[in-house]
């Protein structure tokens, strides 16, 4: 297939060009590069040497399309006007646009079918093979029920809490705190500090991570050789006479930039 | 076979005879039949259009399970299709596919080509001499996903809805025609069912064709035997699958031929990946550069001696 080969050649060429472009950018200015990185990797400008043979396309369309006498019932197509340009990245509006298109389309199609006097709705007693199996649909049903139950339970708890608050019970304000935790959706998350009431340096009684195997994983070993393992950290971090006036490790701009970010 | 051949030979012979012999008006019981009548009859026979579309659905070897499921879903949706074995995707696949389509007596083909186990390309081709299109498939969701809760009859004819921007450009027009021919189930197909309970959505958003499949659920009047419900109470439930097609190229022939259209905005996923990698590599290079720059800067303008530097040293 000559065409595909040719295509791949083209792609290669494009890639080469872009590579060289990237190299130039790096050497020119790094700041610009940084700002570019935020955006997607997409051609904003259309490539100029793309083929677009309009006459050929229309000719082909004429060749392949059905004869004039093909009725609408053969095609069952409906064209729907899109009210406004849809934002692709907004999932909700996009899906809504598709839904409304389908809904309007079916309405129009059904009206047409009705005017033709054709049966188009499936009677209640018409049983036939479906696209999805019964077991699959059962699973679906279970999932739905479970979601519903969960929702109900949460709502009932909320209701009960509200009632308690209204009744003037002493623990009212505490309840509201709990409520907010509930709404986060992670009510049963573990607290970040694992062991309470134990000195921070104490490693006794820690979790025996590799107890079963008796051997560390290889990655851990490598990391330990690289960064060191065990011993007290405190003494390493203290200043000594040589380091008191050494400000090389101190980054002046760091704090500033961090503040700036916060302001933003 | 032999009998058939004889028959065909006889046919050919008769055709030859007809060519040689001058046309004679046919004879009926009451006399000679008028020529005018004949012509009318011929035109009647041409007005009856019968859609005999058959779609071959195959995929390449080493296809991802997810994409394979998508293909199987498409097979479920198209009762007028034939599924075939996987095809080795080589440079000569166009020729083999054309052969295969002819062998199966199909008139069009959907070929799912998976590359590197992660990129799915879909070829949509009209077989003998029609155009063929290569798409990149994005945003795939199969029918098995549980959030898609709808269901519909297997083989009922779908309604096809298109967004109006399909009529804007010639290449979209061509694609619309191809989609109607391939995705529309032929009327009175032997595997199709007589009711319409699902609808396909083809919509162009951001120069991609988005596909959705919804079940139509209309509240029924049990007393109404003909079953015509209120259109206002109609709701749709999504059945799936979902996918998004990015047209790459349109060829004049089937699986080849001169290029009619090329998507000017298209970048292959390989290129995108390589660019992303390059960016990642760039961060480390930048770090190293910044460090060396800092060092040079420090060497160039050293700090002046601090008068209290020796204070704490004995």
């Amino acid at each position: 297939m000559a065409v595909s080969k040719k295509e791949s050649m083209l792609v290669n060429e494009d890639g080469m060009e872009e590579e060289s472009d990237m190299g130039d950018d790096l050497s020119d200015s790094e700041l610009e590069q940084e700002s570019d990185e935020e955006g997607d990797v997409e051609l904003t400008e259309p490539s100029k040497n793309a083929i677009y043979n309009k006459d050929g396309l229309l000719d082909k369309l004429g060749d392949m399309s059905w004869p004039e006498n093909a009725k609408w019932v053969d095609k069952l197509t409906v064209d729907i006007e899109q009210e406004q340009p849809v934002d692709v990245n907004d999932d909700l509006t996009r899906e809504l646009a598709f839904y409304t298109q389908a809904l309007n389309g079916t309405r129009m199609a059904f009206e047409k079918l009705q005017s033709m006097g054709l049966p188009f709705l499936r009677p209640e007693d018409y049983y036939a093979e479906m696209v999805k199996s019964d077991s699959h649909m059962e699973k679906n049903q279970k999932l739905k029920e479970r979601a519903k139950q969960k929702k109900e339970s949460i709502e009932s708890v909320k209701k009960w809490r509200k009632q308690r608050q209204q009744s003037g019970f002493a623990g009212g304000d505490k309840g509201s705190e709990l409520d907010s935790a509930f709404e986060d959706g992670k009510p049963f998350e573990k607290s970040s500090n694992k062991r309470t009431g134990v000195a921070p340096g104490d490693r006794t009684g820690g979790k025996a991570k590799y107890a079963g195997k008796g051997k560390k994983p290889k990655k851990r070993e490598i990391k330990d050789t690289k960064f060191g393992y065990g011993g007290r950290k405190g003494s390493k971090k203290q200043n000594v006479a040589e380091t008191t006036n050494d400000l090389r490790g101190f980054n002046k701009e760091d704090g500033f930039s961090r503040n700036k970010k916060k302001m933003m | 076979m032999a009998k058939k051949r004889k028959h065909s030979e006889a046919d050919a012979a008769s055709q030859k005879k007809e060519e040689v012999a001058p046309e004679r008006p046919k004879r009926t019981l009451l006399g000679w039949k008028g020529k005018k009548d004949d012509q009318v009859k011929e035109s009647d026979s041409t007005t009856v259009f019968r859609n005999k579309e058959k779609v071959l659905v195959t995929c390449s070897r080493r296809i991802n399970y997810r994409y394979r499921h998508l293909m199987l879903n498409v097979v479920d949706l198209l009762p007028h299709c034939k599924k075939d074995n996987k095809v080795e995707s080589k440079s000569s696949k166009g020729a083999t596919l054309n052969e295969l389509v002819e062998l199966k007596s199909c008139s069009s083909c959907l070929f799912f080509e998976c590359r590197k186990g992660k990129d799915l390309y879909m070829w949509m081709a009209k077989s003998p001499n029609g155009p063929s299109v290569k798409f990149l498939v994005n945003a795939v969701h199969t029918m098995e996903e549980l959030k898609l809760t709808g269901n519909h009859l297997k083989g009922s004819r779908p309604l096809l809805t298109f967004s109006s921007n399909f009529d804007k450009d010639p290449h979209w027009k061509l694609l619309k025609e191809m989609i109607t021919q391939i995705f529309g189930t032929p009327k009175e197909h032997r595997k199709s069912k007589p009711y319409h309970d699902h609808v396909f959505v083809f919509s162009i958003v951001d120069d991609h064709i988005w596909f959705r499949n919804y079940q139509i659920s209309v509240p029924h009047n049990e007393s109404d035997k003909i079953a015509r419900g209120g259109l206002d109470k109609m709701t749709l439930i999504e059945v799936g699958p979902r996918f998004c097609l990015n047209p790459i190229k349109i060829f004049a022939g089937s699986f080849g031929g001169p290029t009619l259209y090329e998507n000017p905005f298209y970048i292959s996923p390989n290129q995108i990946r390589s660019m992303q990698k390059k960016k990642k590599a760039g961060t480390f290079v930048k770090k190293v550069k910044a460090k060396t720059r800092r060092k040079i800067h420090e060497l160039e303008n050293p700090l002046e001696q601090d008068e209290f530097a020796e204070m704490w040293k004995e």
Side-chain angles (χ1 to χ4, degrees):
Chain A
M1 217 174 106
V3 176
S4 69
K5 270 179 195 168
K6 200 177 169 187
E7 182 194 350
S8 64
M9 283 285 286
L10 268 175
V11 167
N12 276 342
E13 275 170 20
D14 286 350
M16 291 292 280
E17 275 170 31
E18 261 149 38
E19 263 176 50
S20 61
D21 280 353
M22 294 270 288
D24 286 346
D25 272 358
L26 266 178
S27 57
D28 278 353
S29 59
E30 277 153 17
L31 280 173
E32 269 184 27
Q33 262 286 301
E34 268 173 42
S35 62
D36 279 351
E37 265 181 32
E38 300 299 316
D40 282 346
V41 188
E42 253 174 42
L43 281 181
T44 45
E45 266 182 39
S47 64
K48 280 154 199 158
N49 50 3
I51 302 167
Y52 194 11
N53 184 356
K54 281 190 184 180
D55 299 330
L57 282 168
L58 289 175
D59 272 357
K60 210 74 212 174
L61 178 64
D63 285 351
M64 67 168 292
S65 55
W66 284 335
E68 289 284 311
N69 52 23
K71 287 174 204 151
W72 179 79
V73 191
D74 286 314
K75 287 185 181 174
L76 291 178
T77 56
V78 187
D79 291 341
I80 300 295
E81 192 80 39
Q82 241 173 25
E83 283 121 29
Q84 2 174 316
V86 183
D87 183 19
V88 199
N89 298 321
D90 191 350
D91 284 2
L92 220 64
T93 54
R94 196 208 321 129
E95 295 304 322
L96 189 70
F98 295 151
Y99 183 86
T100 48
Q101 183 187 328
L103 199 68
N104 293 336
T106 34
R107 274 193 191 139
M108 282 164 73
F110 275 9
E111 271 162 21
K112 261 186 198 176
L113 285 166
Q114 202 161 18
S115 67
M116 280 177 205
L118 294 168
F120 56 93
L121 278 179
R122 174 187 167 192
E124 296 280 290
D125 54 354
Y126 182 86
Y127 291 108
E129 191 186 359
M130 305 292 272
V131 166
K132 288 177 185 172
S133 64
D134 283 350
S135 64
H136 180 89
M137 292 310 284
E138 214 168 85
K139 245 191 250 169
N140 233 328
Q141 205 64 36
K142 265 185 200 165
L143 208 78
K144 245 189 202 169
E145 268 171 28
R146 216 174 285 158
K148 205 177 165 188
Q149 264 183 7
K150 204 172 179 184
K151 211 177 177 184
E152 270 174 10
S153 70
I154 286 175
E155 237 148 57
S156 73
V157 167
K158 265 186 192 170
K159 204 175 163 186
W160 163 75
R161 204 158 272 151
K162 215 176 187 180
Q163 272 183 354
R164 202 176 60 166
Q165 261 182 347
Q166 277 170 354
S167 68
F169 194 72
D173 50 352
K174 214 176 188 181
S176 69
E177 234 174 69
L178 269 173
D179 209 355
S180 67
F182 225 120
E183 274 160 8
D184 279 346
K186 315 169 188 169
F188 305 117
E189 218 175 33
K190 267 187 187 172
S191 64
S192 57
N193 44 346
K194 280 175 197 160
R195 300 160 70 215
T196 51
V198 181
D202 192 356
R203 241 189 244 111
T204 55
K207 222 179 182 181
K209 248 188 185 174
Y210 320 115
K213 289 166 194 168
K215 211 179 175 186
K216 285 178 188 173
K218 201 160 195 186
K219 196 173 175 189
R220 185 70 259 162
E221 264 180 274
I222 292 165
K223 280 193 169 175
D224 285 347
T225 55
K226 193 172 176 186
F227 302 116
Y229 174 66
R232 293 181 65 124
K233 247 181 204 164
S235 57
K236 281 180 200 167
K237 290 184 173 176
Q238 274 170 359
N239 259 343
V240 273
E242 278 78 33
T243 58
T244 35
N245 279 312
D246 191 356
L247 296 177
R248 268 180 302 170
F250 180 68
N251 195 352
K252 264 188 286 179
E253 285 181 2
D254 207 33
F256 176 68
S257 64
R258 207 177 292 156
N259 276 341
K260 207 176 175 187
K261 263 183 193 170
K262 265 181 195 171
M263 295 275 278
M264 296 289 271
Chain B
M1 280 306 283
K3 264 188 184 173
K4 261 189 183 173
R5 198 174 291 157
K6 262 187 189 170
H7 184 69
S8 68
E9 272 173 13
D11 252 18
S14 70
Q15 272 178 3
K16 267 184 188 174
K17 268 184 193 170
E18 272 178 15
E19 274 174 22
V20 174
E23 274 189 2
R24 262 191 293 175
K26 275 179 189 169
R27 207 172 165 175
T28 57
L29 281 175
L30 295 174
W32 303 108
K33 208 176 187 183
K35 266 196 172 177
K36 271 188 182 175
D37 245 343
D38 231 345
Q39 277 173 351
V40 169
K41 263 202 173 173
E42 270 180 8
S43 64
D44 267 349
S45 66
T46 50
T47 47
V48 177
F49 166 74
R50 197 169 165 75
N51 183 6
K52 289 180 185 169
E53 192 77 22
K54 241 189 228 174
V55 184
L56 183 79
V57 180
T58 51
C59 62
S60 67
R61 284 205 179 284
R62 290 185 282 283
I63 192 171
N64 209 338
Y65 76 94
R66 197 181 169 74
Y67 297 150
R68 200 183 64 241
H69 284 211
L70 176 71
M71 186 193 71
L72 293 176
N73 289 345
V74 170
V75 169
D76 280 345
L77 290 182
L78 309 178
H80 58 292
C81 81
K82 282 189 173 181
K83 193 166 65 110
D84 202 59
N85 299 346
K86 289 175 181 172
V87 177
E88 189 73 50
S89 104
K90 279 185 237 163
S91 58
S92 66
K93 68 168 184 295
T96 54
L97 273 170
N98 276 335
E99 228 171 84
L100 207 68
V101 172
E102 205 186 326
L103 212 73
K104 295 271 170 188
S105 66
C106 291
S107 55
S108 49
C109 180
L110 281 180
F111 177 60
F112 291 82
E113 187 181 5
C114 188
R115 288 202 192 148
K116 296 197 166 181
K118 45 191 163 185
D119 306 325
L120 182 67
Y121 297 89
M122 185 162 108
W123 285 83
M124 209 184 265
K126 295 290 294 174
S127 161
N129 40 20
S132 55
V133 194
K134 190 184 179 192
F135 295 103
L136 178 71
V137 186
N138 283 328
V140 171
H141 296 265
T142 59
M143 231 190 253
E144 282 79 30
E145 281 174 35
L146 290 175
K147 68 182 172 193
L148 307 172
T149 51
N151 198 359
H152 61 75
L153 285 174
K154 193 172 187 174
S156 63
R157 298 183 60 209
L159 305 169
L160 306 171
T161 64
F162 290 91
S163 64
S164 55
N165 40 12
F166 266 101
D167 293 325
K168 233 173 26 189
D169 292 315
H171 67 278
W172 291 126
K173 270 185 200 169
L174 185 79
L175 287 178
K176 183 183 172 187
E177 185 63 31
M178 286 187 80
I179 288 169
T180 48
Q181 291 192 10
I182 289 174
F183 281 88
T185 305
K187 196 185 160 213
E188 288 159 9
H189 188 269
R190 63 192 178 83
K191 279 187 202 163
S192 75
K193 283 163 193 148
Y195 306 107
H196 304 280
D197 65 346
H198 67 296
V199 51
F200 288 167
V201 177
F202 293 96
S203 183
I204 301 176
V205 178
D206 189 35
D207 287 338
H208 293 48
I209 301 174
W210 298 74
F211 172 86
R212 295 286 182 273
N213 177 21
Y214 294 99
Q215 175 200 352
I216 304 165
S217 80
V218 185
H220 276 243
N221 254 353
E222 275 167 303
S223 58
D224 199 354
K225 265 284 171 186
I226 320 159
R228 281 189 192 151
L231 290 178
D232 299 327
K233 284 179 193 166
M234 184 167 62
T235 52
L236 304 178
I237 310 163
E238 187 161 3
V239 181
R242 290 174 171 189
F243 52 85
C244 168
L245 301 172
N246 185 10
I248 304 169
K249 269 189 180 186
I250 300 177
F251 302 103
S254 90
F255 293 108
T259 311
L260 294 178
Y261 167 78
E262 226 176 343
N263 188 355
F265 293 99
Y266 173 72
I267 318 174
S268 78
N270 278 340
Q271 255 169 292
I272 291 172
R273 274 192 292 267
S274 80
M275 271 145 112
Q276 276 170 349
K277 256 186 200 169
K278 247 169 234 162
K279 265 178 195 168
K280 262 187 194 167
T283 54
F284 178 68
V285 171
K286 241 183 282 163
K287 243 187 223 169
V288 172
K289 260 188 189 173
K291 258 185 192 169
T292 52
R293 230 191 305 142
R294 176 76 192 157
K295 239 175 207 169
I296 291 165
H297 179 78
E298 269 175 18
L299 285 176
E300 276 173 356
N301 359 311
L303 279 174
E304 53 189 86
Q305 265 303 320
D306 193 355
E307 49 182 313
F308 302 116
E310 302 290 312
M311 196 169 196
W312 303 107
K313 278 185 185 170
E314 287 141 295

